[in-house]
Amino acid sequence: MNPFVTFHDQHSPEAVGSLSQELMVGLAATPKYTSPKFFYDRRGSELFDAICEQPEYYPTRTEEAILRAAVGEIAEVVGRDATLIELGSGASRKVRLLLEALHPACYLGVDISRDFLLDSTRRLAADYPWLEVHAACADFSQPMRWPEGLSGERPVAFFPGSSIGNFTPEEAEAFLVGLAQLLPPGGGLLIGVDLIKDRAILDAAYNDAAGITAAFNLNLLERLRRDFDTEVDPSRFHHLAFYNEAESRIEMHLVSRCDQAIHVAEERFFFAEGESLHTENSYKYSVAGFLELAGRAGFEPRAHWTDRDALFCIHYLERAAGWRHP
């Protein structure tokens, strides 16, 4: 057994400071907002894994079923001996299907939650002793770089879970442009995308009966209190999630139960009763709509796979030869 992981810490103290500044910018805005990246401390990552097990939450089990059914075809189109880079690796459960079929030369997990990342990549290294395993603690919503010393014939990024939906369409395009700039021509992107569907399915998925999504949303306030010098009482907020059909997105909010102020460092932010902190968007796409977006960002479609009910889609894209960012 080889549990060794090469760790690359790209989340510097300066980056943590920039997160604090980003938090305060969002709290000062009208309406108030935070980035979903603030969800993912260790507890937040554990709660998200629990969300994925809830019967109402279809994306994880649907994406995993698509991967199981299509993994042979994926292996044919991707090829062997790649550098497999998982963005937002979390528990690294889905990627195991790819590791066994693709047999990549190297695996790199990228996640903002350092402890959770190290735990998951060490498990991978122990379970796949033939695999060269790297872990990069980084905020992949910011400009990225691949660590030095990765082996493999070419990089293939894996971005599961429809995390692309957490970006606005404009942000998603900018993110994909940044990714295209990191990949050589012919470099690949295997990406999960949640599809537009009946709103009742979507509303139920983000309001599970067990209250796990509500706990996940409220844990953001616990993290702010612990890690960002914030004075806030989470019991004074409640979870709200709904499908905004006009924008084709799920919205998650934390709604203030009363008039109150919270403090971050020496700054004070006032919430009126009923005012919300917008914590997450999850945009839904059609297959054609996402391919149009990816094409503008420098990617060409090679294949895609969906489930029978057209709930979810996995795309394999390649960085277009001759593409130049305008």
Side-chain angles (χ1 to χ4, degrees):
M1 182 169 10
N2 175 21
F4 180 73
V5 174
T6 302
F7 180 63
H8 310 269
D9 193 350
Q10 298 180 347
H11 202 51
S12 64
E14 291 77 15
V16 174
S18 70
L19 276 178
S20 296
Q21 186 59 38
E22 183 178 342
L23 170 65
M24 288 193 281
V25 168
L27 288 171
T30 304
K32 296 177 174 65
Y33 69 90
T34 63
S35 166
K37 74 182 74 172
F38 289 101
F39 285 130
Y40 294 102
D41 62 350
R42 177 186 283 274
R43 179 58 178 157
S45 296
E46 291 170 349
L47 284 167
F48 182 74
D49 277 358
I51 288 171
C52 295
E53 300 295 332
Q54 300 311 302
E56 302 93 337
Y57 194 77
Y58 65 87
T60 300
R61 65 175 179 270
T62 305
E63 185 177 32
E64 287 182 355
I66 295 170
L67 282 172
R68 286 193 188 93
V71 72
E73 295 177 27
I74 292 170
E76 287 182 11
V77 72
V78 173
R80 293 169 71 90
D81 297 321
T83 301
L84 186 61
I85 301 165
E86 186 177 14
L87 303 174
S89 55
S92 296
R93 187 169 68 181
K94 297 168 191 169
V95 79
R96 290 172 178 261
L97 295 168
L98 298 179
L99 293 176
E100 291 162 11
L102 272 61
H103 210 92
C106 175
Y107 168 83
L108 169 66
V110 182
D111 203 278
I112 199 169
S113 179
R114 177 183 283 100
D115 292 343
F116 205 68
L117 171 68
L118 284 171
D119 286 349
S120 62
T121 50
R122 284 169 179 158
R123 285 195 297 271
L124 284 181
D127 292 344
Y128 300 94
W130 51 266
L131 181 64
E132 178 185 318
V133 177
H134 295 250
C137 182
D139 178 0
F140 60 77
S141 70
Q142 301 298 318
M144 294 180 293
R145 67 184 188 278
W146 303 146
E148 295 182 0
L150 304 179
S151 60
E153 293 184 357
R154 72 197 179 289
V156 173
F158 178 45
F159 196 28
S162 198
S163 296
I164 192 69
N166 293 150
F167 299 109
T168 66
E170 296 76 19
E171 291 168 343
E173 184 173 341
F175 170 80
L176 291 173
V177 165
L179 196 53
Q181 291 173 324
L182 285 173
L183 294 170
L189 171 61
L190 187 67
I191 183 169
V193 179
D194 202 6
L195 298 178
I196 296 169
K197 60 185 65 63
D198 185 85
R199 71 173 303 145
I201 297 173
L202 290 163
D203 284 337
Y206 293 82
N207 293 282
D208 57 274
I212 306 299
T213 305
F216 172 72
N217 200 10
L218 286 161
N219 182 69
L220 181 145
L221 298 176
E222 297 286 0
R223 188 195 177 192
L224 298 188
R225 184 164 63 177
R226 184 178 60 253
D227 294 345
F228 290 91
D229 193 21
T230 302
E231 294 180 18
V232 58
D233 182 353
S235 70
R236 294 185 175 187
F237 290 83
H238 69 85
H239 163 75
L240 173 68
F242 60 91
Y243 183 55
N244 181 333
E245 196 160 0
E247 299 289 342
S248 297
R249 72 187 187 198
I250 282 283
E251 296 184 14
M252 287 216 312
H253 297 257
L254 290 167
V255 182
S256 180
R257 298 180 184 273
C258 59
D259 292 347
Q260 60 178 307
I262 70 172
H263 298 80
V264 183
E266 297 181 357
E267 298 289 332
R268 183 173 181 268
F269 302 96
F270 179 76
F271 282 79
E273 181 179 357
E275 185 178 2
S276 76
L277 177 64
H278 190 164
T279 56
E280 184 178 54
N281 290 318
S282 183
Y283 281 84
K284 314 303 173 185
Y285 289 91
S286 67
V287 171
F290 182 76
L291 288 176
E292 181 181 349
L293 173 70
R296 293 196 301 268
F299 287 94
E300 294 179 337
R302 288 291 175 261
H304 71 269
W305 302 268
T306 61
D307 60 288
R308 181 180 301 176
D309 297 321
L311 298 174
F312 201 91
C313 185
I314 296 175
H315 294 267
Y316 185 68
L317 313 168
E318 287 186 354
R319 155 76 146 80
W323 173 81
R324 296 289 182 273
H325 182 226

